[in-house]
Amino acid sequence: MGESFTSYSTKRGGSLLLLRSGYHTAGNLFLLAERDNIVVTWLVRFGGFLMMFLGLKMVSHPLEVVLDVIPCIGRLAGDLIGGASGIMTCIVAAALSTLTIAIAWLAYRPFFSIMLLGVVGGLVYMMKKRAAAKLGDRQDSFNDARNISGTCKNRQRRLCLECVLFF
């Protein structure tokens, strides 16, 4: 037992000072420091995800506000768009946060980084494929709603809102 505290000199030339209340062995101090590093790392990752989600939500919020001013249906339309944009921003924020973590891991954990980049790439590919399929289905039903003369199925001169939204 010593009379003072001094830092530990590492093999790489750095210094390390771990201080905890109570009696701990050197191995126990290193285990506690590793646990603390893991907790701080996950808190920073969650904070980054939360900030990315809030930023994306703020970007999409004006659309919600614009729809709120429509008489009669504005509040319902704004709430529906708000819920849908919340879900989409959560998905996008999760993908971008994972991408950010994967890029940061390129220097320290290249194998895991490449795996994460593959997962994010696969998710983006699936989302694009699903969006293209939905757009194709919507375009087909839109074309079915028009007759040969280019009017809508309700025989109006131009396409009506019902044909655009529901077909």
Short mmCIF file of all heavy atoms in Angstrom, two decimals, residues 99-136:
data_model
loop_
_atom_site.label_atom_id
_atom_site.label_comp_id
_atom_site.label_asym_id
_atom_site.label_seq_id
_atom_site.Cartn_x
_atom_site.Cartn_y
_atom_site.Cartn_z
N LEU A 99 -25.26 3.18 -40.50
CA LEU A 99 -24.24 3.50 -41.50
C LEU A 99 -23.11 4.31 -40.89
O LEU A 99 -21.93 4.05 -41.16
CB LEU A 99 -24.89 4.28 -42.65
CG LEU A 99 -23.99 4.67 -43.80
CD1 LEU A 99 -23.48 3.44 -44.53
CD2 LEU A 99 -24.73 5.59 -44.75
N THR A 100 -23.43 5.27 -40.04
CA THR A 100 -22.41 6.09 -39.38
C THR A 100 -21.53 5.22 -38.48
O THR A 100 -20.30 5.36 -38.48
CB THR A 100 -23.08 7.19 -38.55
OG1 THR A 100 -23.91 7.97 -39.40
CG2 THR A 100 -22.05 8.07 -37.88
N ILE A 101 -22.14 4.31 -37.72
CA ILE A 101 -21.37 3.41 -36.86
C ILE A 101 -20.48 2.50 -37.69
O ILE A 101 -19.31 2.27 -37.35
CB ILE A 101 -22.33 2.60 -35.95
CG1 ILE A 101 -23.01 3.53 -34.95
CG2 ILE A 101 -21.59 1.48 -35.24
CD1 ILE A 101 -24.19 2.89 -34.23
N ALA A 102 -21.01 1.99 -38.80
CA ALA A 102 -20.23 1.09 -39.65
C ALA A 102 -19.02 1.81 -40.25
O ALA A 102 -17.92 1.25 -40.32
CB ALA A 102 -21.11 0.53 -40.76
N ILE A 103 -19.21 3.05 -40.67
CA ILE A 103 -18.09 3.81 -41.22
C ILE A 103 -17.04 4.08 -40.14
O ILE A 103 -15.84 4.01 -40.38
CB ILE A 103 -18.60 5.11 -41.88
CG1 ILE A 103 -19.37 4.76 -43.15
CG2 ILE A 103 -17.45 6.05 -42.20
CD1 ILE A 103 -20.11 5.92 -43.77
N ALA A 104 -17.50 4.38 -38.92
CA ALA A 104 -16.56 4.62 -37.82
C ALA A 104 -15.79 3.35 -37.47
O ALA A 104 -14.64 3.42 -37.03
CB ALA A 104 -17.30 5.15 -36.60
N TRP A 105 -16.40 2.20 -37.66
CA TRP A 105 -15.75 0.93 -37.35
C TRP A 105 -14.74 0.49 -38.41
O TRP A 105 -14.00 -0.47 -38.19
CB TRP A 105 -16.79 -0.17 -37.19
CG TRP A 105 -17.39 -0.26 -35.83
CD1 TRP A 105 -17.10 0.50 -34.74
CD2 TRP A 105 -18.39 -1.19 -35.42
NE1 TRP A 105 -17.87 0.11 -33.68
CE2 TRP A 105 -18.67 -0.92 -34.06
CE3 TRP A 105 -19.08 -2.20 -36.05
CZ2 TRP A 105 -19.61 -1.64 -33.34
CZ3 TRP A 105 -20.01 -2.92 -35.33
CH2 TRP A 105 -20.27 -2.64 -33.99
N LEU A 106 -14.72 1.14 -39.56
CA LEU A 106 -13.79 0.71 -40.61
C LEU A 106 -12.35 0.65 -40.11
O LEU A 106 -11.59 -0.25 -40.48
CB LEU A 106 -13.86 1.65 -41.81
CG LEU A 106 -14.93 1.32 -42.84
CD1 LEU A 106 -15.00 2.41 -43.90
CD2 LEU A 106 -14.72 -0.03 -43.47
N ALA A 107 -11.96 1.57 -39.24
CA ALA A 107 -10.59 1.59 -38.75
C ALA A 107 -10.34 0.55 -37.66
O ALA A 107 -9.26 -0.01 -37.57
CB ALA A 107 -10.25 2.98 -38.21
N TYR A 108 -11.34 0.28 -36.83
CA TYR A 108 -11.14 -0.58 -35.66
C TYR A 108 -11.63 -2.01 -35.84
O TYR A 108 -11.02 -2.94 -35.34
CB TYR A 108 -11.81 0.05 -34.43
CG TYR A 108 -11.21 1.36 -34.06
CD1 TYR A 108 -11.83 2.54 -34.39
CD2 TYR A 108 -9.98 1.44 -33.42
CE1 TYR A 108 -11.27 3.78 -34.08
CE2 TYR A 108 -9.40 2.65 -33.10
CZ TYR A 108 -10.06 3.81 -33.43
OH TYR A 108 -9.49 5.01 -33.12
N ARG A 109 -12.76 -2.16 -36.52
CA ARG A 109 -13.35 -3.49 -36.72
C ARG A 109 -13.80 -3.63 -38.16
O ARG A 109 -14.99 -3.55 -38.45
CB ARG A 109 -14.53 -3.67 -35.79
CG ARG A 109 -14.17 -3.59 -34.33
CD ARG A 109 -15.42 -3.79 -33.49
NE ARG A 109 -15.06 -3.72 -32.09
CZ ARG A 109 -15.61 -2.87 -31.25
NH1 ARG A 109 -16.53 -2.03 -31.66
NH2 ARG A 109 -15.25 -2.87 -29.98
N PRO A 110 -12.89 -3.85 -39.09
CA PRO A 110 -13.26 -3.87 -40.50
C PRO A 110 -14.26 -4.97 -40.85
O PRO A 110 -15.14 -4.76 -41.67
CB PRO A 110 -11.95 -4.06 -41.24
CG PRO A 110 -10.88 -4.18 -40.24
CD PRO A 110 -11.46 -3.99 -38.89
N PHE A 111 -14.15 -6.14 -40.23
CA PHE A 111 -15.07 -7.24 -40.54
C PHE A 111 -16.50 -6.88 -40.16
O PHE A 111 -17.43 -7.03 -40.97
CB PHE A 111 -14.62 -8.52 -39.82
CG PHE A 111 -15.54 -9.68 -40.04
CD1 PHE A 111 -15.57 -10.32 -41.27
CD2 PHE A 111 -16.38 -10.12 -39.04
CE1 PHE A 111 -16.41 -11.38 -41.49
CE2 PHE A 111 -17.23 -11.18 -39.24
CZ PHE A 111 -17.25 -11.82 -40.48
N PHE A 112 -16.71 -6.38 -38.94
CA PHE A 112 -18.04 -5.99 -38.51
C PHE A 112 -18.56 -4.81 -39.32
O PHE A 112 -19.74 -4.71 -39.61
CB PHE A 112 -18.06 -5.65 -37.03
CG PHE A 112 -17.88 -6.84 -36.14
CD1 PHE A 112 -16.83 -6.89 -35.24
CD2 PHE A 112 -18.73 -7.92 -36.21
CE1 PHE A 112 -16.64 -7.98 -34.42
CE2 PHE A 112 -18.55 -9.03 -35.40
CZ PHE A 112 -17.51 -9.06 -34.50
N SER A 113 -17.66 -3.91 -39.68
CA SER A 113 -18.04 -2.75 -40.47
C SER A 113 -18.57 -3.17 -41.84
O SER A 113 -19.60 -2.68 -42.29
CB SER A 113 -16.85 -1.82 -40.64
OG SER A 113 -17.19 -0.72 -41.44
N ILE A 114 -17.88 -4.09 -42.48
CA ILE A 114 -18.33 -4.56 -43.79
C ILE A 114 -19.66 -5.30 -43.66
O ILE A 114 -20.55 -5.15 -44.50
CB ILE A 114 -17.23 -5.44 -44.43
CG1 ILE A 114 -16.04 -4.55 -44.80
CG2 ILE A 114 -17.75 -6.17 -45.65
CD1 ILE A 114 -14.80 -5.29 -45.20
N MET A 115 -19.82 -6.06 -42.58
CA MET A 115 -21.10 -6.74 -42.36
C MET A 115 -22.23 -5.73 -42.17
O MET A 115 -23.31 -5.88 -42.74
CB MET A 115 -21.01 -7.67 -41.14
CG MET A 115 -20.27 -8.95 -41.42
SD MET A 115 -20.11 -10.08 -40.01
CE MET A 115 -21.61 -9.93 -39.13
N LEU A 116 -22.00 -4.70 -41.36
CA LEU A 116 -23.03 -3.67 -41.15
C LEU A 116 -23.35 -2.92 -42.43
O LEU A 116 -24.52 -2.63 -42.72
CB LEU A 116 -22.57 -2.68 -40.08
CG LEU A 116 -22.94 -3.01 -38.65
CD1 LEU A 116 -22.37 -1.95 -37.71
CD2 LEU A 116 -24.42 -3.11 -38.46
N LEU A 117 -22.33 -2.59 -43.20
CA LEU A 117 -22.57 -1.92 -44.47
C LEU A 117 -23.39 -2.80 -45.41
O LEU A 117 -24.25 -2.32 -46.14
CB LEU A 117 -21.25 -1.51 -45.12
CG LEU A 117 -20.51 -0.35 -44.45
CD1 LEU A 117 -19.12 -0.18 -45.06
CD2 LEU A 117 -21.31 0.93 -44.56
N GLY A 118 -23.14 -4.10 -45.38
CA GLY A 118 -23.94 -5.04 -46.17
C GLY A 118 -25.39 -5.09 -45.72
O GLY A 118 -26.30 -5.13 -46.55
N VAL A 119 -25.61 -5.08 -44.41
CA VAL A 119 -26.98 -5.08 -43.88
C VAL A 119 -27.72 -3.80 -44.29
O VAL A 119 -28.86 -3.84 -44.76
CB VAL A 119 -26.97 -5.25 -42.34
CG1 VAL A 119 -28.34 -4.95 -41.75
CG2 VAL A 119 -26.53 -6.66 -41.98
N VAL A 120 -27.06 -2.66 -44.13
CA VAL A 120 -27.68 -1.39 -44.52
C VAL A 120 -27.94 -1.37 -46.02
O VAL A 120 -29.02 -0.95 -46.46
CB VAL A 120 -26.80 -0.19 -44.08
CG1 VAL A 120 -27.31 1.10 -44.67
CG2 VAL A 120 -26.78 -0.09 -42.58
N GLY A 121 -27.00 -1.82 -46.80
CA GLY A 121 -27.19 -1.89 -48.25
C GLY A 121 -28.35 -2.79 -48.62
O GLY A 121 -29.14 -2.47 -49.51
N GLY A 122 -28.46 -3.93 -47.94
CA GLY A 122 -29.58 -4.84 -48.19
C GLY A 122 -30.93 -4.21 -47.83
O GLY A 122 -31.91 -4.37 -48.56
N LEU A 123 -30.97 -3.49 -46.72
CA LEU A 123 -32.21 -2.81 -46.33
C LEU A 123 -32.59 -1.73 -47.34
O LEU A 123 -33.77 -1.60 -47.70
CB LEU A 123 -32.07 -2.20 -44.93
CG LEU A 123 -32.05 -3.19 -43.77
CD1 LEU A 123 -31.75 -2.46 -42.47
CD2 LEU A 123 -33.37 -3.92 -43.67
N VAL A 124 -31.62 -0.97 -47.80
CA VAL A 124 -31.90 0.07 -48.80
C VAL A 124 -32.38 -0.57 -50.09
O VAL A 124 -33.35 -0.10 -50.71
CB VAL A 124 -30.64 0.94 -49.04
CG1 VAL A 124 -30.80 1.83 -50.25
CG2 VAL A 124 -30.34 1.77 -47.81
N TYR A 125 -31.76 -1.67 -50.50
CA TYR A 125 -32.19 -2.37 -51.71
C TYR A 125 -33.62 -2.88 -51.57
O TYR A 125 -34.43 -2.72 -52.50
CB TYR A 125 -31.23 -3.53 -52.00
CG TYR A 125 -31.68 -4.41 -53.14
CD1 TYR A 125 -31.56 -3.98 -54.45
CD2 TYR A 125 -32.24 -5.66 -52.90
CE1 TYR A 125 -31.98 -4.78 -55.50
CE2 TYR A 125 -32.67 -6.46 -53.93
CZ TYR A 125 -32.55 -6.01 -55.23
OH TYR A 125 -32.97 -6.80 -56.26
N MET A 126 -33.95 -3.47 -50.42
CA MET A 126 -35.31 -3.98 -50.22
C MET A 126 -36.33 -2.84 -50.22
O MET A 126 -37.42 -2.99 -50.79
CB MET A 126 -35.38 -4.77 -48.90
CG MET A 126 -34.73 -6.12 -48.98
SD MET A 126 -34.68 -7.09 -47.44
CE MET A 126 -35.95 -6.45 -46.45
N MET A 127 -35.99 -1.71 -49.59
CA MET A 127 -36.91 -0.58 -49.56
C MET A 127 -37.13 -0.02 -50.97
O MET A 127 -38.25 0.31 -51.34
CB MET A 127 -36.40 0.51 -48.62
CG MET A 127 -36.53 0.14 -47.15
SD MET A 127 -35.83 1.36 -46.03
CE MET A 127 -36.88 2.75 -46.31
N LYS A 128 -36.07 0.08 -51.76
CA LYS A 128 -36.21 0.57 -53.13
C LYS A 128 -37.04 -0.39 -53.96
O LYS A 128 -37.88 0.03 -54.76
CB LYS A 128 -34.83 0.75 -53.77
CG LYS A 128 -34.15 2.03 -53.43
CD LYS A 128 -32.91 2.18 -54.27
CE LYS A 128 -32.40 3.59 -54.20
NZ LYS A 128 -31.27 3.79 -55.09
N LYS A 129 -36.82 -1.67 -53.79
CA LYS A 129 -37.56 -2.67 -54.55
C LYS A 129 -39.04 -2.62 -54.18
O LYS A 129 -39.91 -2.66 -55.06
CB LYS A 129 -36.98 -4.06 -54.26
CG LYS A 129 -37.53 -5.14 -55.12
CD LYS A 129 -36.82 -6.46 -54.84
CE LYS A 129 -37.41 -7.57 -55.66
NZ LYS A 129 -36.77 -8.84 -55.39
N ARG A 130 -39.34 -2.50 -52.90
CA ARG A 130 -40.73 -2.43 -52.44
C ARG A 130 -41.39 -1.14 -52.94
O ARG A 130 -42.54 -1.15 -53.37
CB ARG A 130 -40.81 -2.50 -50.93
CG ARG A 130 -42.23 -2.48 -50.40
CD ARG A 130 -42.28 -2.70 -48.94
NE ARG A 130 -41.96 -4.10 -48.69
CZ ARG A 130 -41.83 -4.61 -47.50
NH1 ARG A 130 -41.96 -3.85 -46.44
NH2 ARG A 130 -41.55 -5.88 -47.34
N ALA A 131 -40.66 -0.02 -52.90
CA ALA A 131 -41.23 1.24 -53.38
C ALA A 131 -41.49 1.19 -54.88
O ALA A 131 -42.50 1.69 -55.35
CB ALA A 131 -40.28 2.39 -53.04
N ALA A 132 -40.58 0.58 -55.63
CA ALA A 132 -40.79 0.46 -57.08
C ALA A 132 -41.99 -0.43 -57.39
O ALA A 132 -42.76 -0.13 -58.30
CB ALA A 132 -39.52 -0.10 -57.74
N ALA A 133 -42.17 -1.50 -56.62
CA ALA A 133 -43.32 -2.38 -56.84
C ALA A 133 -44.62 -1.64 -56.53
O ALA A 133 -45.60 -1.76 -57.26
CB ALA A 133 -43.20 -3.63 -55.97
N LYS A 134 -44.65 -0.88 -55.44
CA LYS A 134 -45.85 -0.11 -55.11
C LYS A 134 -46.13 0.95 -56.16
O LYS A 134 -47.28 1.18 -56.53
CB LYS A 134 -45.71 0.53 -53.73
CG LYS A 134 -45.93 -0.42 -52.60
CD LYS A 134 -45.96 0.32 -51.29
CE LYS A 134 -46.23 -0.67 -50.17
NZ LYS A 134 -46.37 0.00 -48.89
N LEU A 135 -45.10 1.61 -56.64
CA LEU A 135 -45.28 2.63 -57.66
C LEU A 135 -45.80 2.01 -58.95
O LEU A 135 -46.68 2.56 -59.60
CB LEU A 135 -43.97 3.37 -57.91
CG LEU A 135 -44.02 4.51 -58.92
CD1 LEU A 135 -44.96 5.60 -58.41
CD2 LEU A 135 -42.65 5.08 -59.16
N GLY A 136 -45.29 0.83 -59.30
CA GLY A 136 -45.76 0.13 -60.50
C GLY A 136 -47.22 -0.26 -60.36
O GLY A 136 -48.01 -0.11 -61.30
#
